[in-house]
Amino acid sequence: MNRLLDAGLPAPRTLRSADDLVAAGLAVSSSELTAVTAAYATAITPSLADLIDRADRADPIARQFVPSPAELDLRPEELPDPIGDHTHEPVTGIIHRYPDRVLLKAVSVCPVYCRFCFRREMVGPDKDGSLSPSELEAALAYIRQHPEIWEVIITGGDPFMLSARRAAALTRELEAVPMKVIRWHTRMPVADPDRVSSEFVAVISSRSKAVYVAVHCNHPRELTPATLGACARLVDAGIPLLSQTVLLKGVNDDIATLEQLMRAFVQARIKPYYLHHADLAPGTSHFRTTVEQGQDLVRQLRDRISGLAQPAYVIDIPGGVSKALASPADVETESGRVRLRGRDGVMRDYAGT
Ligand code: SF4
C-alpha cells in the first residue's frame, strides 16, 4: 500500500504541473520548467513519483519523466512527426505503413508523459483525446475493407487508458473483423499497475484472435512488485507479453543496466522484442546515443546473455519508410568468401556459402 494512504493522508495524485513537481520535491524552481510544461504534456503517476530517488540527481526514473530545460533545445534534424505517422494515415486513427498490419491510435492520452516520446507533439490532455464513435467506425470500416490486414496494433497515446467498457467494445468489434492478431502497446503496467486489473485483462482477452501486449519499460527499477503483478495477470490470462525499450542516454545506455533489464523481462515472462534507437523527436537530443554506441551495447548483450533475452535493435527511418534493423552483423561477405564473428571477437572463415 502507498505510504501516504497508510498514514491516513489524502491519496496522492498524478503530478501535472511545474508547481506539482516542486511540491513533490522533484524540481527546485517552477519558473525554469513552466516553458517546458507549456510545450509538452507532463504527468507522473504516484507509482513512478514514489520510485524516484530524490537524492540522486541522475536518477534514471526521474530523467525519463521529470521535465528538463534541455527539452527547449531544438535541433535542425528533429521532426515533429519523426516516424512519419501522418504520411500513412488513410483515415483518422489508422496508420497503414506495412501491408499486413495497421496501427489503430485509439487515444492520444497517457498515464505518464515520457520526456523522449516520439509522438510528443501528438499526445497530451490538450490533444484530440480518443477517437469519436464515428472516427472509430470509419477506422474499423477501413480494416474490414482491407483483408490483407493480418494484425491490428492498438496504440496511442496509451490504449490502456480506455475504460474496461470501451476496451471490451473495441475487442468485440475487432473479433468481428477477419484479421488474426490484436496487439496492444502500453506503458500502464509500469505507470499505474493497478489499472491493469483482472477485469481489464478479462475484457481484452479473446477466444477468436491471438492477443499480445507489448510493455514499454526502459530500466530494471521500473519492474516493481506491483508492475510484475500486472504483467503476471496478463500472462496468467494467456496473453503473451513483449517488451519495448528505448535506448536512452543516462537511463539504460550501459551494459550492466541493459543486461539486468533483459534478464528481468525474461524472468517476468516478457519476451524482449525491440530496443529502439531514440527517434529524432523535438527537444530530445540529450537522450540520444550514437548508433555506434547502440551497436556496441547490442554486441556486448549478445556475448553475455541467452538468445531468449535478445531484443532487436531498430531505428525508424524518418518519414515513415520502415524500421531498419540496426543490430551489428556477425557475418562479412566479400567476393563469395564468408567470415563469421565469434563471441571472442575473432573473425573466422566459413566453408559454406
Ligand atoms: S507512454 Fe508512450 S505514447 Fe505516452 S508519452 Fe510515453 S512513449 Fe509517448
Side-chain angles (χ1 to χ4, degrees):
M1 184 181 283
N2 186 286
R3 292 195 306 267
L4 294 178
L5 288 179
D6 240 359
L9 296 171
R13 58 184 181 83
T14 295
L15 310 173
R16 297 190 182 275
S17 68
D19 286 340
D20 287 349
L21 297 169
V22 172
L26 293 174
V28 178
S29 138
S30 64
S31 59
E32 66 166 14
L33 294 184
T34 306
V36 185
T37 53
Y40 303 110
T42 296
I44 307 178
T45 54
S47 310
L48 284 170
D50 249 10
L51 203 55
I52 292 171
D53 178 356
R54 269 91 169 149
D56 180 1
R57 290 176 59 84
D59 181 73
I61 310 299
R63 188 164 165 79
Q64 293 182 68
F65 302 109
V66 177
S68 157
E71 293 171 52
L72 299 175
D73 173 13
L74 302 180
R75 301 292 172 92
E77 66 274 22
E78 294 176 340
L79 301 162
D81 178 16
I83 74 165
D85 279 353
H86 289 320
T87 54
H88 297 279
E89 191 167 10
V91 297
T92 302
I94 290 282
I95 312 297
H96 200 173
R97 200 183 330 263
Y98 303 96
D100 75 329
R101 54 203 183 274
V102 290
L103 299 185
L104 173 57
K105 290 167 78 169
V107 294
S108 58
V109 289
C110 304
V112 282
Y113 291 102
C114 312
R115 307 320 301 173
F116 50 85
C117 176
F118 66 122
R119 293 200 178 113
R120 61 189 331 211
E121 299 276 353
M122 304 169 216
V123 297
D126 60 337
K127 300 296 186 281
D128 295 338
S130 54
L131 291 180
S132 69
S134 62
E135 286 170 336
L136 181 59
E137 182 43 44
L140 291 165
Y142 181 89
I143 297 169
R144 280 186 219 107
Q145 288 154 11
H146 290 78
E148 72 274 21
I149 295 171
W150 173 80
E151 180 183 25
V152 175
I153 300 161
I154 308 173
T155 181
D158 190 326
F160 274 28
M161 291 292 277
L162 292 171
S163 64
R165 182 183 61 78
R166 294 184 64 207
L170 180 55
T171 300
R172 302 294 88 83
E173 292 277 10
L174 290 173
E175 284 179 324
V177 179
M179 54 86 201
K180 305 296 182 195
V181 180
I182 302 172
R183 182 179 0 143
W184 298 77
H185 279 193
T186 182
R187 193 100 159 100
M188 195 66 84
V190 167
D192 195 354
D194 290 348
R195 274 188 73 155
V196 189
S197 62
S198 300
E199 181 198 7
F200 192 88
V201 172
V203 300
I204 65 166
S205 298
S206 172
R207 287 183 187 277
S208 59
K209 308 293 180 191
V211 178
Y212 286 74
V213 171
V215 179
H216 175 178
C217 176
N218 301 322
H219 192 278
R221 270 180 43 219
E222 292 170 43
L223 294 168
T224 62
T227 293
L228 293 174
C231 293
R233 285 193 285 283
L234 290 158
V235 181
D236 291 346
I239 298 177
L241 299 187
L242 309 166
S243 73
Q244 292 209 100
T245 295
V246 186
L247 181 61
L248 297 168
K249 193 189 284 182
V251 174
N252 56 21
D253 63 332
D254 64 277
I255 189 59
T257 302
L258 271 186
E259 176 180 348
Q260 199 185 341
L261 180 62
M262 296 304 147
R263 288 190 193 279
F265 283 148
V266 174
Q267 288 164 218
R269 299 177 288 170
I270 305 169
K271 171 69 186 90
Y273 179 42
Y274 276 146
L275 177 65
H276 295 272
H277 190 75
D279 291 306
L280 297 171
T284 62
S285 61
H286 53 301
F287 282 114
R288 288 196 291 276
T289 65
T290 64
V291 174
E292 197 178 357
Q293 286 167 336
Q295 289 187 319
D296 182 51
L297 287 164
V298 166
R299 183 165 268 150
Q300 291 183 64
L301 264 188
R302 282 223 313 273
D303 292 345
R304 284 173 178 234
I305 57 176
S306 150
L308 183 61
Q310 303 292 339
Y313 177 39
V314 291
I315 305 178
D316 271 278
I317 302 173
V321 179
S322 67
K323 284 185 173 49
L325 193 58
S327 299
D330 282 343
V331 182
E332 280 179 11
T333 53
E334 201 185 326
S335 311
R337 184 172 166 228
V338 178
R339 286 159 58 78
L340 303 177
R341 176 189 172 275
R343 66 188 290 267
D344 52 6
V346 175
M347 298 301 296
R348 294 175 175 81
D349 287 332
Y350 174 63
T353 54

PDB file of all heavy atoms in Angstrom, residues 41 65 108-120 123 155-158 185-188 191 216 218 246, ligand 1:
ATOM      1  N   ALA A  41       3.279  17.879 -22.752  1.00  0.00           N
ATOM      2  CA  ALA A  41       2.470  17.385 -21.633  1.00  0.00           C
ATOM      3  C   ALA A  41       3.362  16.777 -20.548  1.00  0.00           C
ATOM      4  O   ALA A  41       4.409  16.185 -20.837  1.00  0.00           O
ATOM      5  CB  ALA A  41       1.485  16.343 -22.140  1.00  0.00           C
ATOM      6  N   PHE A  65      10.900  11.120 -16.787  1.00  0.00           N
ATOM      7  CA  PHE A  65       9.556  11.694 -16.611  1.00  0.00           C
ATOM      8  C   PHE A  65       9.535  13.145 -16.125  1.00  0.00           C
ATOM      9  O   PHE A  65       8.539  13.833 -16.315  1.00  0.00           O
ATOM     10  CB  PHE A  65       8.754  10.820 -15.633  1.00  0.00           C
ATOM     11  CG  PHE A  65       8.630   9.395 -16.097  1.00  0.00           C
ATOM     12  CD1 PHE A  65       9.309   8.368 -15.457  1.00  0.00           C
ATOM     13  CD2 PHE A  65       7.854   9.091 -17.206  1.00  0.00           C
ATOM     14  CE1 PHE A  65       9.212   7.059 -15.902  1.00  0.00           C
ATOM     15  CE2 PHE A  65       7.752   7.784 -17.658  1.00  0.00           C
ATOM     16  CZ  PHE A  65       8.429   6.764 -17.006  1.00  0.00           C
ATOM     17  N   SER A 108      -5.172   9.629 -27.427  1.00  0.00           N
ATOM     18  CA  SER A 108      -3.950  10.443 -27.510  1.00  0.00           C
ATOM     19  C   SER A 108      -3.476  10.864 -26.115  1.00  0.00           C
ATOM     20  O   SER A 108      -2.700  11.800 -25.978  1.00  0.00           O
ATOM     21  CB  SER A 108      -4.195  11.674 -28.383  1.00  0.00           C
ATOM     22  OG  SER A 108      -5.263  12.413 -27.842  1.00  0.00           O
ATOM     23  N   VAL A 109      -3.962  10.174 -25.104  1.00  0.00           N
ATOM     24  CA  VAL A 109      -3.526  10.472 -23.737  1.00  0.00           C
ATOM     25  C   VAL A 109      -2.765   9.272 -23.162  1.00  0.00           C
ATOM     26  O   VAL A 109      -2.890   8.146 -23.650  1.00  0.00           O
ATOM     27  CB  VAL A 109      -4.721  10.822 -22.820  1.00  0.00           C
ATOM     28  CG1 VAL A 109      -5.279  12.181 -23.188  1.00  0.00           C
ATOM     29  CG2 VAL A 109      -5.800   9.758 -22.885  1.00  0.00           C
ATOM     30  N   CYS A 110      -1.979   9.547 -22.135  1.00  0.00           N
ATOM     31  CA  CYS A 110      -1.153   8.516 -21.491  1.00  0.00           C
ATOM     32  C   CYS A 110      -1.222   8.713 -19.981  1.00  0.00           C
ATOM     33  O   CYS A 110      -1.492   9.827 -19.508  1.00  0.00           O
ATOM     34  CB  CYS A 110       0.313   8.669 -21.907  1.00  0.00           C
ATOM     35  SG  CYS A 110       0.559   8.643 -23.687  1.00  0.00           S
ATOM     36  N   PRO A 111      -0.905   7.673 -19.209  1.00  0.00           N
ATOM     37  CA  PRO A 111      -0.879   7.849 -17.753  1.00  0.00           C
ATOM     38  C   PRO A 111       0.320   8.678 -17.308  1.00  0.00           C
ATOM     39  O   PRO A 111       0.282   9.332 -16.265  1.00  0.00           O
ATOM     40  CB  PRO A 111      -0.782   6.411 -17.222  1.00  0.00           C
ATOM     41  CG  PRO A 111      -0.183   5.620 -18.348  1.00  0.00           C
ATOM     42  CD  PRO A 111      -0.631   6.288 -19.617  1.00  0.00           C
ATOM     43  N   VAL A 112       1.411   8.603 -18.097  1.00  0.00           N
ATOM     44  CA  VAL A 112       2.618   9.411 -17.852  1.00  0.00           C
ATOM     45  C   VAL A 112       3.047   9.972 -19.202  1.00  0.00           C
ATOM     46  O   VAL A 112       2.662   9.421 -20.240  1.00  0.00           O
ATOM     47  CB  VAL A 112       3.796   8.550 -17.322  1.00  0.00           C
ATOM     48  CG1 VAL A 112       3.643   8.221 -15.869  1.00  0.00           C
ATOM     49  CG2 VAL A 112       3.995   7.308 -18.164  1.00  0.00           C
ATOM     50  N   TYR A 113       3.834  11.028 -19.174  1.00  0.00           N
ATOM     51  CA  TYR A 113       4.370  11.542 -20.437  1.00  0.00           C
ATOM     52  C   TYR A 113       5.895  11.444 -20.397  1.00  0.00           C
ATOM     53  O   TYR A 113       6.550  12.118 -19.595  1.00  0.00           O
ATOM     54  CB  TYR A 113       3.871  12.968 -20.713  1.00  0.00           C
ATOM     55  CG  TYR A 113       2.383  12.931 -21.004  1.00  0.00           C
ATOM     56  CD1 TYR A 113       1.458  13.301 -20.044  1.00  0.00           C
ATOM     57  CD2 TYR A 113       1.916  12.405 -22.208  1.00  0.00           C
ATOM     58  CE1 TYR A 113       0.089  13.196 -20.294  1.00  0.00           C
ATOM     59  CE2 TYR A 113       0.550  12.293 -22.468  1.00  0.00           C
ATOM     60  CZ  TYR A 113      -0.344  12.677 -21.509  1.00  0.00           C
ATOM     61  OH  TYR A 113      -1.682  12.545 -21.757  1.00  0.00           O
ATOM     62  N   CYS A 114       6.413  10.559 -21.256  1.00  0.00           N
ATOM     63  CA  CYS A 114       7.849  10.304 -21.300  1.00  0.00           C
ATOM     64  C   CYS A 114       8.510  11.485 -22.008  1.00  0.00           C
ATOM     65  O   CYS A 114       8.034  11.910 -23.068  1.00  0.00           O
ATOM     66  CB  CYS A 114       8.114   9.012 -22.059  1.00  0.00           C
ATOM     67  SG  CYS A 114       7.058   7.655 -21.496  1.00  0.00           S
ATOM     68  N   ARG A 115       9.588  11.971 -21.458  1.00  0.00           N
ATOM     69  CA  ARG A 115      10.182  13.210 -21.979  1.00  0.00           C
ATOM     70  C   ARG A 115      10.818  12.988 -23.348  1.00  0.00           C
ATOM     71  O   ARG A 115      11.151  13.961 -24.031  1.00  0.00           O
ATOM     72  CB  ARG A 115      11.232  13.770 -20.996  1.00  0.00           C
ATOM     73  CG  ARG A 115      10.777  13.963 -19.560  1.00  0.00           C
ATOM     74  CD  ARG A 115       9.393  14.495 -19.393  1.00  0.00           C
ATOM     75  NE  ARG A 115       9.154  15.782 -20.008  1.00  0.00           N
ATOM     76  CZ  ARG A 115       7.958  16.364 -20.084  1.00  0.00           C
ATOM     77  NH1 ARG A 115       6.903  15.774 -19.563  1.00  0.00           N
ATOM     78  NH2 ARG A 115       7.821  17.524 -20.683  1.00  0.00           N
ATOM     79  N   PHE A 116      11.028  11.740 -23.758  1.00  0.00           N
ATOM     80  CA  PHE A 116      11.691  11.422 -25.027  1.00  0.00           C
ATOM     81  C   PHE A 116      10.688  10.932 -26.074  1.00  0.00           C
ATOM     82  O   PHE A 116      11.077  10.482 -27.138  1.00  0.00           O
ATOM     83  CB  PHE A 116      12.731  10.303 -24.793  1.00  0.00           C
ATOM     84  CG  PHE A 116      12.128   9.153 -24.037  1.00  0.00           C
ATOM     85  CD1 PHE A 116      11.439   8.155 -24.689  1.00  0.00           C
ATOM     86  CD2 PHE A 116      12.207   9.107 -22.651  1.00  0.00           C
ATOM     87  CE1 PHE A 116      10.835   7.122 -23.983  1.00  0.00           C
ATOM     88  CE2 PHE A 116      11.607   8.084 -21.933  1.00  0.00           C
ATOM     89  CZ  PHE A 116      10.918   7.089 -22.605  1.00  0.00           C
ATOM     90  N   CYS A 117       9.391  11.029 -25.764  1.00  0.00           N
ATOM     91  CA  CYS A 117       8.366  10.383 -26.594  1.00  0.00           C
ATOM     92  C   CYS A 117       8.460  10.800 -28.063  1.00  0.00           C
ATOM     93  O   CYS A 117       8.536  11.980 -28.380  1.00  0.00           O
ATOM     94  CB  CYS A 117       6.989  10.743 -26.055  1.00  0.00           C
ATOM     95  SG  CYS A 117       5.651  10.088 -27.079  1.00  0.00           S
ATOM     96  N   PHE A 118       8.383   9.804 -28.951  1.00  0.00           N
ATOM     97  CA  PHE A 118       8.452  10.091 -30.392  1.00  0.00           C
ATOM     98  C   PHE A 118       7.148  10.705 -30.906  1.00  0.00           C
ATOM     99  O   PHE A 118       7.105  11.245 -31.993  1.00  0.00           O
ATOM    100  CB  PHE A 118       8.818   8.827 -31.170  1.00  0.00           C
ATOM    101  CG  PHE A 118       7.773   7.730 -31.122  1.00  0.00           C
ATOM    102  CD1 PHE A 118       7.204   7.238 -32.283  1.00  0.00           C
ATOM    103  CD2 PHE A 118       7.381   7.186 -29.923  1.00  0.00           C
ATOM    104  CE1 PHE A 118       6.252   6.235 -32.245  1.00  0.00           C
ATOM    105  CE2 PHE A 118       6.417   6.182 -29.869  1.00  0.00           C
ATOM    106  CZ  PHE A 118       5.860   5.714 -31.027  1.00  0.00           C
ATOM    107  N   ARG A 119       6.072  10.592 -30.115  1.00  0.00           N
ATOM    108  CA  ARG A 119       4.810  11.222 -30.521  1.00  0.00           C
ATOM    109  C   ARG A 119       4.478  12.408 -29.607  1.00  0.00           C
ATOM    110  O   ARG A 119       3.319  12.753 -29.413  1.00  0.00           O
ATOM    111  CB  ARG A 119       3.663  10.205 -30.485  1.00  0.00           C
ATOM    112  CG  ARG A 119       3.790   9.121 -31.527  1.00  0.00           C
ATOM    113  CD  ARG A 119       2.464   8.414 -31.819  1.00  0.00           C
ATOM    114  NE  ARG A 119       2.659   7.437 -32.861  1.00  0.00           N
ATOM    115  CZ  ARG A 119       2.573   6.115 -32.699  1.00  0.00           C
ATOM    116  NH1 ARG A 119       2.262   5.607 -31.522  1.00  0.00           N
ATOM    117  NH2 ARG A 119       2.784   5.300 -33.710  1.00  0.00           N
ATOM    118  N   ARG A 120       5.498  13.062 -29.058  1.00  0.00           N
ATOM    119  CA  ARG A 120       5.233  14.086 -28.044  1.00  0.00           C
ATOM    120  C   ARG A 120       4.446  15.279 -28.596  1.00  0.00           C
ATOM    121  O   ARG A 120       3.798  15.979 -27.834  1.00  0.00           O
ATOM    122  CB  ARG A 120       6.533  14.535 -27.372  1.00  0.00           C
ATOM    123  CG  ARG A 120       7.573  15.149 -28.285  1.00  0.00           C
ATOM    124  CD  ARG A 120       8.895  15.357 -27.534  1.00  0.00           C
ATOM    125  NE  ARG A 120       8.708  15.580 -26.125  1.00  0.00           N
ATOM    126  CZ  ARG A 120       9.488  16.312 -25.356  1.00  0.00           C
ATOM    127  NH1 ARG A 120      10.541  16.913 -25.883  1.00  0.00           N
ATOM    128  NH2 ARG A 120       9.269  16.468 -24.078  1.00  0.00           N
ATOM    129  N   VAL A 123       0.593  13.747 -28.384  1.00  0.00           N
ATOM    130  CA  VAL A 123      -0.053  13.202 -27.187  1.00  0.00           C
ATOM    131  C   VAL A 123      -0.174  14.278 -26.112  1.00  0.00           C
ATOM    132  O   VAL A 123       0.599  15.214 -26.069  1.00  0.00           O
ATOM    133  CB  VAL A 123       0.717  11.983 -26.607  1.00  0.00           C
ATOM    134  CG1 VAL A 123       0.737  10.850 -27.607  1.00  0.00           C
ATOM    135  CG2 VAL A 123       2.124  12.361 -26.163  1.00  0.00           C
ATOM    136  N   THR A 155      -2.644   1.384 -30.321  1.00  0.00           N
ATOM    137  CA  THR A 155      -1.647   2.230 -29.692  1.00  0.00           C
ATOM    138  C   THR A 155      -2.251   3.594 -29.424  1.00  0.00           C
ATOM    139  O   THR A 155      -3.456   3.749 -29.337  1.00  0.00           O
ATOM    140  CB  THR A 155      -0.364   2.270 -30.571  1.00  0.00           C
ATOM    141  OG1 THR A 155       0.612   3.078 -29.952  1.00  0.00           O
ATOM    142  CG2 THR A 155      -0.635   2.791 -31.972  1.00  0.00           C
ATOM    143  N   GLY A 156      -1.416   4.610 -29.254  1.00  0.00           N
ATOM    144  CA  GLY A 156      -1.966   5.924 -28.931  1.00  0.00           C
ATOM    145  C   GLY A 156      -0.896   6.983 -29.059  1.00  0.00           C
ATOM    146  O   GLY A 156      -0.151   6.981 -30.042  1.00  0.00           O
ATOM    147  N   GLY A 157      -0.715   7.707 -27.942  1.00  0.00           N
ATOM    148  CA  GLY A 157      -1.119   7.527 -26.562  1.00  0.00           C
ATOM    149  C   GLY A 157      -1.009   6.086 -26.038  1.00  0.00           C
ATOM    150  O   GLY A 157      -0.334   5.253 -26.605  1.00  0.00           O
ATOM    151  N   ASP A 158      -1.664   5.892 -24.936  1.00  0.00           N
ATOM    152  CA  ASP A 158      -1.648   4.584 -24.300  1.00  0.00           C
ATOM    153  C   ASP A 158      -3.071   4.029 -24.276  1.00  0.00           C
ATOM    154  O   ASP A 158      -3.939   4.528 -23.550  1.00  0.00           O
ATOM    155  CB  ASP A 158      -1.109   4.715 -22.864  1.00  0.00           C
ATOM    156  CG  ASP A 158      -0.837   3.347 -22.247  1.00  0.00           C
ATOM    157  OD1 ASP A 158      -1.596   2.403 -22.562  1.00  0.00           O
ATOM    158  OD2 ASP A 158       0.110   3.233 -21.455  1.00  0.00           O
ATOM    159  N   HIS A 185      -0.161  -1.850 -27.289  1.00  0.00           N
ATOM    160  CA  HIS A 185       1.102  -1.251 -26.849  1.00  0.00           C
ATOM    161  C   HIS A 185       0.814  -0.359 -25.645  1.00  0.00           C
ATOM    162  O   HIS A 185      -0.009   0.558 -25.750  1.00  0.00           O
ATOM    163  CB  HIS A 185       1.716  -0.401 -27.967  1.00  0.00           C
ATOM    164  CG  HIS A 185       2.462  -1.217 -28.973  1.00  0.00           C
ATOM    165  ND1 HIS A 185       3.304  -0.665 -29.903  1.00  0.00           N
ATOM    166  CD2 HIS A 185       2.512  -2.557 -29.182  1.00  0.00           C
ATOM    167  CE1 HIS A 185       3.831  -1.629 -30.645  1.00  0.00           C
ATOM    168  NE2 HIS A 185       3.363  -2.782 -30.229  1.00  0.00           N
ATOM    169  N   THR A 186       1.483  -0.599 -24.535  1.00  0.00           N
ATOM    170  CA  THR A 186       1.128   0.145 -23.314  1.00  0.00           C
ATOM    171  C   THR A 186       2.316   0.373 -22.389  1.00  0.00           C
ATOM    172  O   THR A 186       3.269  -0.417 -22.364  1.00  0.00           O
ATOM    173  CB  THR A 186       0.025  -0.603 -22.533  1.00  0.00           C
ATOM    174  OG1 THR A 186      -0.324   0.164 -21.380  1.00  0.00           O
ATOM    175  CG2 THR A 186       0.478  -1.985 -22.086  1.00  0.00           C
ATOM    176  N   ARG A 187       2.205   1.451 -21.623  1.00  0.00           N
ATOM    177  CA  ARG A 187       3.154   1.753 -20.539  1.00  0.00           C
ATOM    178  C   ARG A 187       2.449   1.549 -19.197  1.00  0.00           C
ATOM    179  O   ARG A 187       3.049   1.764 -18.148  1.00  0.00           O
ATOM    180  CB  ARG A 187       3.567   3.236 -20.701  1.00  0.00           C
ATOM    181  CG  ARG A 187       4.761   3.704 -19.893  1.00  0.00           C
ATOM    182  CD  ARG A 187       5.973   3.746 -20.742  1.00  0.00           C
ATOM    183  NE  ARG A 187       7.056   4.597 -20.286  1.00  0.00           N
ATOM    184  CZ  ARG A 187       8.134   4.155 -19.649  1.00  0.00           C
ATOM    185  NH1 ARG A 187       8.250   2.895 -19.308  1.00  0.00           N
ATOM    186  NH2 ARG A 187       9.116   4.985 -19.357  1.00  0.00           N
ATOM    187  N   MET A 188       1.171   1.178 -19.230  1.00  0.00           N
ATOM    188  CA  MET A 188       0.376   1.158 -18.000  1.00  0.00           C
ATOM    189  C   MET A 188       0.926   0.215 -16.918  1.00  0.00           C
ATOM    190  O   MET A 188       0.893   0.571 -15.731  1.00  0.00           O
ATOM    191  CB  MET A 188      -1.082   0.808 -18.308  1.00  0.00           C
ATOM    192  CG  MET A 188      -2.035   1.109 -17.180  1.00  0.00           C
ATOM    193  SD  MET A 188      -2.172   2.873 -16.855  1.00  0.00           S
ATOM    194  CE  MET A 188      -3.398   3.346 -18.078  1.00  0.00           C
ATOM    195  N   ALA A 191       3.392   2.427 -15.333  1.00  0.00           N
ATOM    196  CA  ALA A 191       2.943   3.740 -14.861  1.00  0.00           C
ATOM    197  C   ALA A 191       1.885   3.652 -13.762  1.00  0.00           C
ATOM    198  O   ALA A 191       1.882   4.442 -12.825  1.00  0.00           O
ATOM    199  CB  ALA A 191       2.388   4.539 -16.037  1.00  0.00           C
ATOM    200  N   HIS A 216       6.061  -1.173 -22.566  1.00  0.00           N
ATOM    201  CA  HIS A 216       7.168  -0.217 -22.690  1.00  0.00           C
ATOM    202  C   HIS A 216       7.833  -0.057 -21.322  1.00  0.00           C
ATOM    203  O   HIS A 216       7.194   0.385 -20.365  1.00  0.00           O
ATOM    204  CB  HIS A 216       6.592   1.111 -23.206  1.00  0.00           C
ATOM    205  CG  HIS A 216       7.577   2.233 -23.275  1.00  0.00           C
ATOM    206  ND1 HIS A 216       7.246   3.475 -23.743  1.00  0.00           N
ATOM    207  CD2 HIS A 216       8.878   2.317 -22.945  1.00  0.00           C
ATOM    208  CE1 HIS A 216       8.297   4.276 -23.681  1.00  0.00           C
ATOM    209  NE2 HIS A 216       9.310   3.590 -23.186  1.00  0.00           N
ATOM    210  N   ASN A 218      11.982   0.757 -19.617  1.00  0.00           N
ATOM    211  CA  ASN A 218      13.350   1.117 -20.002  1.00  0.00           C
ATOM    212  C   ASN A 218      14.421   0.871 -18.949  1.00  0.00           C
ATOM    213  O   ASN A 218      15.597   0.992 -19.244  1.00  0.00           O
ATOM    214  CB  ASN A 218      13.395   2.611 -20.371  1.00  0.00           C
ATOM    215  CG  ASN A 218      12.452   2.924 -21.509  1.00  0.00           C
ATOM    216  OD1 ASN A 218      12.302   2.132 -22.440  1.00  0.00           O
ATOM    217  ND2 ASN A 218      11.782   4.055 -21.432  1.00  0.00           N
ATOM    218  N   VAL A 246      13.390   1.858 -25.127  1.00  0.00           N
ATOM    219  CA  VAL A 246      14.085   2.886 -25.901  1.00  0.00           C
ATOM    220  C   VAL A 246      15.482   3.036 -25.297  1.00  0.00           C
ATOM    221  O   VAL A 246      15.615   3.144 -24.072  1.00  0.00           O
ATOM    222  CB  VAL A 246      13.337   4.233 -25.853  1.00  0.00           C
ATOM    223  CG1 VAL A 246      14.012   5.242 -26.782  1.00  0.00           C
ATOM    224  CG2 VAL A 246      11.867   4.063 -26.235  1.00  0.00           C
TER     225      VAL A 246
HETATM  226  S1  SF4 B   1       3.549   6.248 -22.803  1.00  0.00           S
HETATM  227 FE1  SF4 B   1       4.213   6.007 -24.971  1.00  0.00          FE
HETATM  228  S2  SF4 B   1       2.963   7.446 -26.162  1.00  0.00           S
HETATM  229 FE2  SF4 B   1       2.796   8.027 -23.982  1.00  0.00          FE
HETATM  230  S3  SF4 B   1       4.376   9.566 -23.646  1.00  0.00           S
HETATM  231 FE3  SF4 B   1       5.309   7.601 -23.129  1.00  0.00          FE
HETATM  232  S4  SF4 B   1       6.285   6.921 -25.049  1.00  0.00           S
HETATM  233 FE4  SF4 B   1       4.823   8.539 -25.593  1.00  0.00          FE
END
